[in-house]
Amino acid sequence: MEIVILPSAAEVGRVAASVVAEVVVRKPEAVLGLATGSSPLAIYEELARRADAGELDFSRVRGFALDEYVGLDYGHPESYHAVIDRTVTRPLGLAPALVAVPDGFAADLAAACAAYEAAIDAAGGIDVQILGIGGNGHIGFNEPTSSLASRTRIKTLTPKTREDNARFFDSPEAVPTHCVTQGLGTILRARRLVLVAQGENKAEAIAAAVEGPLSASCPASVLQLHEHATVIIDEAAASRLRNADYYRYTWANKPAWQRY
Ligand code: F6R
């Protein structure tokens, strides 16, 4: 894994956006894996800025969201259909028909999950997957004990995740109890992974993911199995890393032509 520690949350967004931009410039019909939540917002804002400036063209780019709540009306502003539309599809200028979000309403959710996996395969697989991380180490909504080989499926949200996401809803009870999420095995199949985290409340999860054992107890530790994963974090999120100095040294000495 490549660990990039940056002075500010804004820098995290800028550098992570550059990773995505590099892929889109090289491959205008690239397939992006899209996380929701607060962490990737700075990436999307920076990519939108570059699209507005005419530096990037997302009109042929495809997108697959990581997850969706089960049974939350798509008209609800916190449904991930609505969030992806508001924070990604419109600002970046993706074609809505090329953006997919898991179906949280299908009569046969298992079949819809299988169809989502098939759609990712039919698109040629994900070129770059953007990830945030939960305070409990989840990626997507793969909560602790998720199979490291899992595929898109229904999951029960932990009380911790519902509590963390209560800030987006009127009350903690309004947070849905279930979701559909790409699996850890699905995420591992992406060609490139970029995980971003900002803030002290992510420090423990980042330390477990980067320096802890590979374990379903910290689902994000599965990144250790990927051949091209980059973790981009601010100083606060890096504060529990034992080898932070080594990561800073590696980044500072990275050849300029390899920088994002
Ligand atoms: C959402 C997702 C989650 C979030 C994580 C962090 O699509 O995949 O794993 O990335 O819960 O959320 P924030 O960024 O809001 O702290």
Side-chain angles (χ1 to χ4, degrees), residues 13-106:
R14 195 190 60 73
V15 171
S18 295
V19 176
V20 177
E22 184 195 73
V23 172
V24 171
V25 166
R26 185 165 36 82
K27 186 177 176 186
E29 69 289 357
V31 182
L32 304 184
L34 303 166
T36 53
S38 312
S39 308
L41 289 177
I43 304 178
Y44 301 141
E45 281 161 18
E46 174 65 12
L47 290 173
R49 193 193 60 74
R50 296 190 198 185
D52 286 347
E55 297 166 21
L56 289 173
D57 176 10
F58 286 92
S59 61
R60 290 159 64 196
V61 165
R62 297 190 70 104
F64 286 91
L66 271 175
D67 38 24
E68 175 59 287
Y69 294 112
V70 169
L72 185 64
D73 195 280
Y74 296 162
H76 190 291
E78 294 307 327
S79 81
Y80 288 170
H81 278 76
V83 172
I84 289 287
D85 187 60
R86 184 170 70 238
T87 63
V88 183
T89 309
R90 288 172 192 272
L92 275 61
L94 272 76
L98 298 182
V99 180
V101 179
D103 187 347
F105 274 100

Side-chain angles (χ1 to χ4, degrees), residues 101-189:
V101 179
D103 187 347
F105 274 100
D108 184 344
L109 281 172
C113 291
Y116 201 69
E117 290 279 330
I120 293 173
D121 286 347
I126 288 170
D127 289 300
V128 55
Q129 173 67 57
I130 298 165
L131 296 166
I133 184 170
N136 63 3
H138 74 212
I139 50 174
F141 274 142
N142 294 281
E143 301 285 33
T145 71
S146 286
S147 158
L148 301 181
S150 50
R151 295 304 191 90
T152 303
R153 69 211 183 289
I154 306 154
K155 285 293 287 181
T156 306
L157 296 171
T158 61
K160 161 84 173 137
T161 297
R162 293 186 68 226
E163 190 185 307
D164 286 349
N165 287 6
R167 68 191 194 279
F168 297 121
F169 291 83
D170 292 338
S171 70
E173 300 73 40
V175 183
T177 54
H178 290 78
C179 66
V180 172
T181 181
Q182 287 187 34
L184 296 172
T186 318
I187 291 168
L188 279 184
R189 283 160 62 94

Side-chain angles (χ1 to χ4, degrees), residues 169-250:
F169 291 83
D170 292 338
S171 70
E173 300 73 40
V175 183
T177 54
H178 290 78
C179 66
V180 172
T181 181
Q182 287 187 34
L184 296 172
T186 318
I187 291 168
L188 279 184
R189 283 160 62 94
R191 293 180 190 91
R192 177 103 208 243
L193 303 181
V194 181
L195 185 148
V196 291
Q198 308 91 347
E200 171 72 35
N201 61 334
K202 299 294 174 71
E204 201 174 313
I206 286 292
V210 171
E211 295 178 338
L214 173 65
S215 166
S217 295
C218 177
S221 67
V222 81
L223 265 66
Q224 295 173 23
L225 285 176
H226 197 276
E227 62 183 341
H228 203 174
T230 304
V231 174
I232 306 176
I233 53 181
D234 68 2
E235 289 286 350
S239 58
R240 302 269 178 95
L241 289 170
R242 284 191 306 274
N243 297 313
D245 283 346
Y246 172 64
Y247 310 136
R248 288 192 196 92
Y249 173 86
T250 306

